[in-house]
Amino acid sequence: MSTHKTRQVLTDTFTCVRCGLTVTGAAPGGGRRNHCPSCLHSLHVLDRAEGGPSECGSRMAPISIAVLRGGDWMLIHRCTRCGELTSNPISGDDNQLILMRMAVRPLAEPPFPLETFGDL
Protein backbone atom coordinates (compact mmCIF):
# COMPACT_ATOMS: atom_id res chain seq x y z
CA MET A 1 0.00 0.00 0.00
CA SER A 2 1.43 3.35 -1.02
CA THR A 3 1.45 6.23 1.43
CA HIS A 4 2.25 8.70 -1.34
CA LYS A 5 -0.42 11.39 -1.49
CA THR A 6 -1.12 13.10 -4.77
CA ARG A 7 -1.41 16.83 -4.70
CA GLN A 8 -4.54 18.19 -6.30
CA VAL A 9 -4.51 21.70 -7.73
CA LEU A 10 -7.93 23.30 -7.68
CA THR A 11 -8.81 26.18 -9.93
CA ASP A 12 -10.79 28.67 -7.89
CA THR A 13 -12.92 30.44 -10.49
CA PHE A 14 -16.58 31.24 -10.96
CA THR A 15 -18.74 32.51 -13.79
CA CYS A 16 -20.52 35.81 -13.20
CA VAL A 17 -24.29 35.34 -12.99
CA ARG A 18 -24.91 38.64 -14.77
CA CYS A 19 -22.26 39.20 -17.43
CA GLY A 20 -20.82 35.68 -17.84
CA LEU A 21 -17.19 36.67 -17.17
CA THR A 22 -14.97 33.91 -15.79
CA VAL A 23 -13.60 35.35 -12.54
CA THR A 24 -10.77 34.15 -10.33
CA GLY A 25 -11.58 33.86 -6.62
CA ALA A 26 -8.28 35.50 -5.67
CA ALA A 27 -8.39 39.27 -5.50
CA PRO A 28 -5.31 41.48 -6.00
CA GLY A 29 -3.32 41.57 -2.78
CA GLY A 30 -4.17 37.98 -1.88
CA GLY A 31 -7.69 38.51 -0.54
CA ARG A 32 -10.79 36.54 -1.45
CA ARG A 33 -13.15 37.82 -4.14
CA ASN A 34 -16.88 37.18 -4.04
CA HIS A 35 -18.10 39.46 -6.83
CA CYS A 36 -17.40 40.09 -10.50
CA PRO A 37 -14.79 42.85 -11.05
CA SER A 38 -16.51 43.89 -14.29
CA CYS A 39 -20.18 44.35 -13.30
CA LEU A 40 -19.79 43.97 -9.48
CA HIS A 41 -22.65 41.42 -9.19
CA SER A 42 -22.42 38.41 -6.91
CA LEU A 43 -24.36 35.32 -5.80
CA HIS A 44 -26.26 34.98 -2.52
CA VAL A 45 -24.29 32.08 -1.05
CA LEU A 46 -23.91 33.17 2.59
CA ASP A 47 -26.69 33.86 5.05
CA ARG A 48 -25.57 36.77 7.23
CA ALA A 49 -28.27 36.23 9.86
CA GLU A 50 -27.72 32.48 10.23
CA GLY A 51 -23.96 32.64 9.72
CA GLY A 52 -23.85 29.75 7.27
CA PRO A 53 -24.64 28.92 3.67
CA SER A 54 -27.70 30.51 2.13
CA GLU A 55 -30.33 28.45 0.38
CA CYS A 56 -31.41 31.50 -1.65
CA GLY A 57 -28.68 31.34 -4.32
CA SER A 58 -30.05 34.34 -6.21
CA ARG A 59 -28.15 37.25 -7.76
CA MET A 60 -26.78 39.98 -5.48
CA ALA A 61 -26.93 43.39 -7.18
CA PRO A 62 -24.51 46.17 -6.21
CA ILE A 63 -26.54 49.09 -4.87
CA SER A 64 -24.19 51.37 -2.97
CA ILE A 65 -20.77 52.13 -1.52
CA ALA A 66 -19.96 52.54 2.15
CA VAL A 67 -16.72 54.08 3.36
CA LEU A 68 -15.33 52.84 6.67
CA ARG A 69 -13.63 55.16 9.17
CA GLY A 70 -10.23 53.92 8.06
CA GLY A 71 -11.04 54.89 4.45
CA ASP A 72 -11.69 51.39 3.09
CA TRP A 73 -14.56 51.13 0.61
CA MET A 74 -17.21 48.45 1.01
CA LEU A 75 -19.54 47.32 -1.77
CA ILE A 76 -23.16 46.98 -0.63
CA HIS A 77 -25.20 44.24 -2.34
CA ARG A 78 -28.93 43.50 -2.18
CA CYS A 79 -30.31 40.08 -3.05
CA THR A 80 -32.70 40.30 -6.00
CA ARG A 81 -34.90 37.55 -4.51
CA CYS A 82 -35.01 37.92 -0.71
CA GLY A 83 -33.69 41.48 -0.27
CA GLU A 84 -30.89 40.60 2.18
CA LEU A 85 -28.12 43.23 2.33
CA THR A 86 -24.42 42.37 2.53
CA SER A 87 -21.19 44.37 2.53
CA ASN A 88 -17.91 43.24 1.02
CA PRO A 89 -14.58 44.99 0.50
CA ILE A 90 -13.90 46.26 -2.99
CA SER A 91 -11.01 44.76 -4.92
CA GLY A 92 -8.22 46.67 -6.62
CA ASP A 93 -9.34 45.58 -10.07
CA ASP A 94 -13.05 46.35 -9.64
CA ASN A 95 -14.69 48.46 -12.34
CA GLN A 96 -13.83 52.00 -11.19
CA LEU A 97 -16.47 53.66 -13.35
CA ILE A 98 -19.31 51.68 -11.74
CA LEU A 99 -17.84 52.28 -8.26
CA MET A 100 -17.69 56.05 -8.84
CA ARG A 101 -21.22 56.13 -10.29
CA MET A 102 -22.53 54.47 -7.12
CA ALA A 103 -20.45 56.75 -4.88
CA VAL A 104 -21.74 59.99 -6.42
CA ARG A 105 -25.35 58.87 -6.96
CA PRO A 106 -26.60 60.38 -3.66
CA LEU A 107 -25.18 63.77 -4.72
CA ALA A 108 -26.30 63.54 -8.35
CA GLU A 109 -29.78 62.21 -7.53
CA PRO A 110 -30.68 63.38 -4.00
CA PRO A 111 -33.87 61.94 -2.48
CA PHE A 112 -35.29 65.44 -2.02
CA PRO A 113 -35.56 68.51 -4.28
CA LEU A 114 -32.46 70.71 -4.07
CA GLU A 115 -34.64 73.78 -4.63
CA THR A 116 -35.82 73.53 -0.99
CA PHE A 117 -32.40 74.77 0.15
CA GLY A 118 -33.16 78.15 -1.41
CA ASP A 119 -36.15 78.53 0.94
CA LEU A 120 -34.10 78.03 4.12
Side-chain angles (χ1 to χ4, degrees):
M1 175 178 239
S2 174
T3 58
H4 174 57
K5 294 182 181 179
T6 58
R7 192 175 206 175
Q8 188 177 27
V9 178
L10 299 175
T11 56
D12 187 18
T13 62
F14 61 92
T15 301
C16 177
V17 294
R18 183 173 182 265
C19 71
L21 182 70
T22 300
V23 179
T24 178
R32 300 289 308 147
R33 176 194 312 281
N34 73 338
H35 60 270
C36 175
S38 179
C39 70
L40 307 181
H41 282 72
S42 182
L43 263 184
H44 191 178
V45 294
L46 293 176
D47 188 325
R48 297 288 181 195
E50 301 282 328
S54 173
E55 294 180 11
C56 181
S58 194
R59 184 170 48 93
M60 300 288 282
I63 61 166
S64 186
I65 297 294
V67 181
L68 302 179
R69 289 182 186 185
D72 293 331
W73 281 31
M74 300 294 285
L75 185 56
I76 309 300
H77 285 103
R78 177 183 294 135
C79 181
T80 57
R81 179 183 295 161
C82 70
E84 183 171 329
L85 296 173
T86 62
S87 64
N88 300 286
I90 65 163
S91 298
D93 61 346
D94 283 347
N95 186 319
Q96 294 177 3
L97 180 59
I98 295 174
L99 290 171
M100 289 307 294
R101 283 181 181 167
M102 283 192 293
V104 301
R105 186 180 304 143
L107 298 173
E109 301 171 12
F112 49 83
L114 291 177
E115 296 78 32
T116 58
F117 283 115
D119 298 335
L120 298 177

